[in-house]
Amino acid sequence: MLNEQHSTTITLPRGTLDLTYQTNSAINKNGAEKRDSYQLEDLLGFAQRINPKRAFLFVSKVLGRHIPVVPNIMRSAFTDLANLVPSDLPQPILVIGMAETAVGLSAGVHQALQTRYPQALLLNSTRHAQHGESSDPNGTDSLLTTFCEDHSHASQHLIYQSKDSVTQSQLLASKTLIMVDDEASTGNTCVNVVTALRNAGLTQLEQVHLTTLVDWSLDQEKPNSQSNAKPARMADRLAGIEFHRHHLLSGAWQWTDAPNPEPITMPSVDTTAAGSQALGHTGNWGRLPTLDSTEGFRNYLSNFQTAFTHFNSRENFDATQLPKKILVLGSNEFVWLPFLLAEWIEIESKKLNSDMNPIVNFSALTRSPIALGGAITTMLSFSDNYGLGMTNFVYNVEPSNWDLIVLCVETSADSVDAMWRGLDNVLVVSPSH
């Protein structure tokens, strides 16, 4: 149910962002139970990109990427978004998430959807070329396809196919695509993904469901819109496919450049190379097609417990020793298992220390360059742990504010920048534990 339309203007150093938007009442999967709608301030802050392609950034308050978030708030957003997806979709179903920002969101939506669609596949795009065990004689997992995200700081994406013949057959037979992203604006990325997948063999697609926290294409979706400044309606751009949108908030934006803005030099982050650091085994959370994104979590939880035991100079893991203020950080695309860990720590901490009001937050390292200001109050920069020679960042994190920072990486512990290893409240959890 759509509520009244709102408008606001956001002023940023390089210009102004005029927004019109509608809140959207979230409903349960049966369509019967409504909850209070998400407001703009619940979902978003605003900041300036260090990117000449687009000068502004919608900074999610529920994604756990650029702003630390309580895990149960993230989980609620995952579930509320999944509940907007209909219950009568043609199967097989493929849920696909966009690297790097939305790979945790897609896994959360996929997990919530599996109560209704237990055979739905999860597959995330990636910017990390995959090497390792494979039936392919050269030891490299086979790409399914690639596509471009035109406005991104790192435009090239890779999508891998399955080495399992049954899973691969199901993937190619997909009739419904649920594309999960943090936000949508022009719809170009969705069109690029669908086109690439159809060309790669997913020729039976009947429906596409663009499922986002926020959808900024409200004006372009009006029937009979004749504005040459806006792309064609999505329903007209995907020939032969039934198109639907699901979101917690929808609207439209218009950007106006400030007079004589300072020129921008964007850091070099647009690579899909594998990097010199090997990726450890953390299970399959969507870089390859999977039915169960959580199959690696039990081992990962054990890795954390072992690492915390050593860190705390104990013989055995004792959850009562967890400190009051804990920040769990994922790294780049490796966020789903770290989120599940943060969720586990949050539940255990509240169970054991309910009188202490423990604080557990989740956020992540990223390759996305963002300027200070607006929703970005602090920035730390350091070398990436993948051996790509690029700068990584973490935003809105002051290390001294936390009793314990659990830094979760999919590479070895010694791949982490010395800045992190030099802090005595940082515990690095890596596959080598």
Side-chain angles (χ1 to χ4, degrees):
M1 176 183 295
L2 291 175
N3 298 325
E4 64 189 84
Q5 188 161 293
H6 308 270
S7 63
T8 190
T9 298
I10 309 297
T11 302
L12 295 168
R14 296 183 62 80
T16 55
L17 186 61
D18 291 303
L19 304 177
T20 57
Y21 63 94
Q22 295 174 336
T23 56
N24 189 27
S25 297
I27 58 175
N28 72 6
K29 60 178 178 283
N30 298 316
E33 181 181 308
K34 293 183 175 64
R35 50 149 285 159
D36 292 338
S37 59
Y38 286 88
Q39 301 300 313
L40 182 70
E41 57 270 22
D42 298 329
L43 291 173
L44 292 177
F46 304 89
Q48 177 178 301
R49 290 173 181 259
I50 305 176
N51 184 341
K53 300 177 185 176
R54 183 181 287 181
F56 59 90
L57 181 70
F58 300 109
V59 185
S60 176
K61 295 181 178 180
V62 298
L63 197 59
R65 172 62 65 173
H66 305 120
I67 297 176
V69 184
V70 176
N72 68 41
I73 291 177
M74 296 174 63
R75 177 64 77 176
S76 293
F78 299 161
T79 303
D80 287 341
L81 187 56
N83 286 347
L84 296 173
V85 175
S87 293
D88 56 352
L89 299 180
Q91 300 187 55
I93 292 172
L94 173 63
V95 178
I96 190 162
M98 298 295 100
E100 68 181 3
T101 303
V103 293
L105 176 63
S106 64
V109 169
H110 173 262
Q111 190 178 37
L113 283 171
Q114 283 194 307
T115 60
R116 289 179 284 150
Y117 299 111
Q119 294 303 307
L121 282 176
L122 172 68
L123 176 58
N124 290 319
S125 76
T126 179
R127 296 188 181 106
H128 292 279
Q130 302 298 291
H131 298 281
E133 295 181 7
S134 174
S135 57
D136 196 299
N138 65 13
T140 303
D141 293 315
S142 297
L143 273 174
L144 176 67
T145 189
T146 65
F147 69 92
C148 282
E149 184 182 9
D150 299 328
H151 68 269
S152 176
H153 56 279
S155 57
Q156 190 72 9
H157 290 247
L158 312 174
I159 298 179
Y160 283 88
Q161 58 191 341
S162 179
K163 295 173 285 188
D164 176 78
S165 60
V166 174
T167 302
Q168 181 66 9
S169 295
Q170 178 179 332
L171 172 67
L172 294 176
S174 297
K175 292 184 178 179
T176 298
L177 176 70
I178 299 173
M179 179 173 158
V180 180
D181 211 345
D182 58 324
E183 56 105 356
S185 49
T186 64
N188 288 341
T189 301
C190 184
V191 172
N192 292 350
V193 170
V194 174
T195 301
L197 290 173
R198 293 171 94 178
N199 290 341
L202 276 73
T203 58
Q204 300 181 54
L205 285 176
E206 299 174 6
Q207 294 188 20
V208 170
H209 292 255
L210 180 56
T211 305
T212 57
L213 294 171
V214 183
D215 191 324
W216 291 113
S217 60
L218 191 66
D219 54 349
Q220 86 176 51
E221 286 304 300
K222 294 175 182 175
N224 304 317
S225 174
Q226 299 299 316
S227 171
N228 293 327
K230 294 292 180 182
R233 294 174 65 230
M234 289 291 293
D236 300 327
R237 299 171 72 191
L238 295 171
I241 288 183
E242 189 178 316
F243 180 76
H244 303 270
R245 294 177 180 269
H246 312 290
H247 41 261
L248 301 181
L249 182 144
S250 62
W253 57 261
Q254 182 174 346
W255 173 259
T256 304
D257 282 326
N260 304 312
E262 292 283 330
I264 285 180
T265 301
M266 187 169 63
S268 177
V269 295
D270 195 358
T271 178
T272 54
S276 62
Q277 296 288 337
L279 303 184
H281 181 67
T282 55
N284 181 15
W285 32 268
R287 277 212 186 108
L288 304 177
T290 185
L291 287 173
D292 182 8
S293 64
T294 68
E295 61 94 6
F297 179 63
R298 182 175 296 183
N299 286 339
Y300 197 72
L301 177 59
S302 178
N303 285 352
F304 162 73
Q305 292 174 338
T306 300
F308 181 78
T309 298
H310 294 157
F311 184 81
N312 214 30
S313 301
R314 299 275 173 168
E315 289 189 10
N316 297 296
F317 177 76
D318 183 355
T320 64
Q321 299 297 317
L322 291 169
K324 180 178 178 179
K325 297 176 67 176
I326 300 175
L327 173 65
V328 180
L329 290 175
S331 49
N332 298 80
E333 295 171 14
F334 183 58
V335 292
W336 178 238
L337 295 188
F339 163 75
L340 294 177
L341 174 61
E343 189 175 51
W344 182 88
I345 293 173
E346 178 187 29
I347 293 169
E348 288 298 306
S349 295
K350 288 182 177 179
K351 187 189 308 178
L352 296 169
N353 303 302
S354 57
D355 56 332
M356 287 176 50
N357 295 316
I359 299 169
V360 180
N361 276 192
F362 180 80
S363 194
L365 317 184
T366 176
R367 67 166 73 182
S368 178
I370 312 171
L372 285 171
I376 304 299
T377 59
T378 65
M379 175 188 71
L380 296 172
S381 59
F382 41 90
S383 296
D384 80 281
N385 59 290
Y386 292 95
L388 290 164
M390 73 168 62
T391 302
N392 275 189
F393 309 91
V394 67
Y395 299 104
N396 296 311
V397 170
E398 174 50 63
S400 62
N401 289 344
W402 299 94
D403 298 327
L404 177 66
I405 297 176
V406 183
L407 176 55
C408 303
V409 295
E410 55 181 332
T411 51
S412 64
D414 60 10
S415 68
V416 173
D417 189 280
M419 184 203 82
W420 293 108
R421 290 186 278 120
L423 297 173
D424 59 10
N425 62 335
V426 173
L427 166 61
V428 177
V429 180
S430 72
S432 58
H433 284 296

